[in-house]
Amino acid sequence: DTVGYTTEDGAHVGDTLGVLQDVYRHGELSKGVGENGYYFIFMTGQQIQSFAFDLSGLSRECLVEDRNCSADLSERRSVRFTVR
């Protein structure tokens, strides 16, 4: 469980996508469907580190086709940190 985890750069699990994009200017947003189902992650651009986000309330169109997103994604809070 990575709730409350803080990276060396000062980013926290629980930070919004917008905050993470400010901290990791070369990071990349990735969302879609993979072998384990839908995903919405932000790769920091450092090593192979990523923050995952809660998918609740996001439609298939938003996650897969990048349309009909009901809310501002930059306000979504991260829920997990992973190093692969």
Side-chain angles (χ1 to χ4, degrees), residues 11-49:
H12 305 270
V13 171
D15 282 345
T16 64
L17 174 60
V19 167
L20 295 173
Q21 288 173 320
D22 287 343
V23 173
Y24 300 104
R25 298 220 178 254
H26 298 289
E28 182 176 318
L29 176 63
S30 181
K31 54 190 178 69
V33 64
E35 60 188 44
N36 295 320
Y38 293 107
Y39 61 90
F40 172 16
I41 60 173
F42 179 73
M43 301 294 297
T44 66
Q46 297 181 358
Q47 300 174 13
I48 307 175
Q49 302 175 348

